[in-house]
Amino acid sequence: MRAEERAGEFQKLRPLLFSIAYRMLGSVGEAEDAVQDTWLRYQAFPAEPRSVKSFLSTTVTRICIDVLRSARVRREEYVGPWFPEPLLADPYQDPERSAELADSVSVAALLLLERLSSLERAVFVLREVFAFRFAEVASAVGRSEAACRQLAMQARRHMEAGRPRFEADRKERDQLAGRFFEAFREGDVDGLRELLAADVHMVGDGGGKAPQLAAPVIGSGDVARMLASTFPPFARIGGVVEPHEVNGRPGAIFRDRDGKVVYTLALDILDGRIQTIRTVLNPDKLGHVGPVADAWAVARETNQARQSME
């Protein structure tokens, strides 16, 4: 196969490779690096693989397993809660598996995947999310089919134990999110409280590099009051809230007056209520969304605006 034909085959499979890597690593940047490394290995491979898809998916999976070994150490040393990098759009689409794909990229699912061993995660992603045959999974992770079936069973059990029992219908979820952002912009404490679960959690990931909550804010009353006090001063300094799907769930991108990204927000909606609100403020995790703002400067300006409004 000529070099240009190899490049064409690779580009066709690139969305799948990225989607595998992102689910395994929870990082857009690391997933892109893994895909690029896969391309370099494919370029250098002297023979023509019998199945390009199998070769590439095996290569990217093994690269990700290696990355995960060092990532675990880094995440143990991480300052504050660790969340995956926000994903605004999944490049891989399969109409027959759209529900599984959307669910597997949610922040809640990615955090559950964090609890699995690297091999369990690889097997679960390939088998349960992308429906690879066990023979293909075994080849990708270098284990027997019997071992992969056992790993899949263990991973499935862990994932199902941590999953919420009742998820919102997509239309219902989007309508509730619309009401949430309307009440948020209006600073409507009562309107927000109606949409929040009694034990709602609001948690932020700043990684020690941006202003973040000292501890999770818990309970509909406290979370509603915090949210209601956030937007008016932020809007006063030119801040904008741009509703946008984040990791397959309703969310938003917060931008400063120059359009730079301050942070992203994602909502978990279950049983007709918002259960969790997660924000990512760590600038290292936002570069792929757009130019990143100085979150400390934005926080100072917002506080000054809040004081002038009191």
Side-chain angles (χ1 to χ4, degrees), residues 24-288:
M24 287 190 64
L25 301 174
S27 165
V28 171
E30 289 179 346
E32 289 174 344
D33 288 345
V35 172
Q36 182 60 24
D37 197 1
T38 300
W39 164 242
L40 294 175
R41 295 188 190 190
Y42 181 39
Q43 268 189 316
F45 194 66
E48 191 56 40
R50 185 167 56 182
S51 167
V52 175
K53 178 183 175 182
S54 294
F55 176 85
L56 294 177
S57 57
T58 293
T59 302
V60 79
T61 298
R62 293 184 178 181
I63 289 169
C64 290
I65 288 172
D66 288 341
V67 172
L68 282 172
R69 294 190 179 112
S70 60
R72 285 198 182 281
V73 176
R74 294 199 308 273
R75 288 170 194 177
E76 286 170 3
E77 299 170 349
Y78 196 80
V79 178
W82 179 92
F83 295 152
E85 291 181 11
L87 183 69
L88 302 187
D90 187 354
Y92 179 76
Q93 300 296 323
D94 180 350
E96 294 184 3
R97 300 191 63 78
S98 58
E100 293 92 336
L101 290 169
D103 180 61
S104 66
V105 84
S106 71
V107 176
L110 292 171
L111 290 175
L112 285 174
L113 281 170
E114 281 288 304
R115 302 179 188 178
L116 306 181
S117 70
S118 56
L119 279 178
E120 286 175 335
R121 194 184 310 197
V123 169
F124 183 87
V125 168
L126 293 176
R127 175 63 185 172
E128 302 298 323
V129 179
F130 294 100
F132 278 52
R133 292 179 292 107
F134 271 113
E136 296 172 306
V137 176
S139 174
V141 302
R143 295 292 189 275
S144 68
E145 286 191 46
C148 288
R149 289 179 189 278
Q150 182 67 24
L151 286 165
M153 184 176 67
Q154 292 168 191
R156 201 160 44 235
R157 186 166 60 242
H158 287 306
M159 294 295 288
E160 288 174 356
R163 276 200 176 112
R165 295 182 64 185
F166 304 102
E167 294 204 6
D169 168 82
R170 184 181 180 92
K171 182 179 179 182
E172 173 192 346
R173 186 187 72 191
D174 291 346
Q175 289 175 342
L176 192 149
R179 289 162 57 202
F180 169 84
F181 285 112
E182 183 179 349
F184 175 71
R185 288 193 181 94
E186 294 176 356
D188 181 357
V189 176
D190 291 335
L192 286 165
R193 190 186 289 114
E194 286 180 9
L195 303 173
L196 302 174
D199 60 348
V200 61
H201 282 54
M202 184 170 177
V203 193
D205 172 354
K209 299 183 178 183
Q212 67 187 75
L213 299 169
V217 181
I218 301 172
S220 58
D222 287 346
V223 171
R225 284 188 290 273
M226 169 167 278
L227 289 168
S229 69
T230 299
F231 183 70
F234 182 65
R236 191 162 186 169
I237 67 166
V240 174
V241 179
E242 176 188 314
H244 198 294
E245 193 169 88
V246 177
N247 287 86
R249 298 293 186 268
I253 303 168
F254 286 65
R255 300 183 185 273
D256 69 5
R257 66 168 67 88
D258 299 317
K260 293 182 178 179
V261 180
V262 184
Y263 62 96
T264 62
L265 176 149
L267 304 174
D268 276 351
I269 299 174
L270 308 167
D271 301 335
R273 291 287 184 274
I274 295 167
Q275 305 284 337
T276 312
I277 301 169
R278 297 186 180 91
T279 58
V280 174
L281 306 97
N282 185 340
D284 295 345
K285 296 185 174 186
L286 298 172
H288 63 284

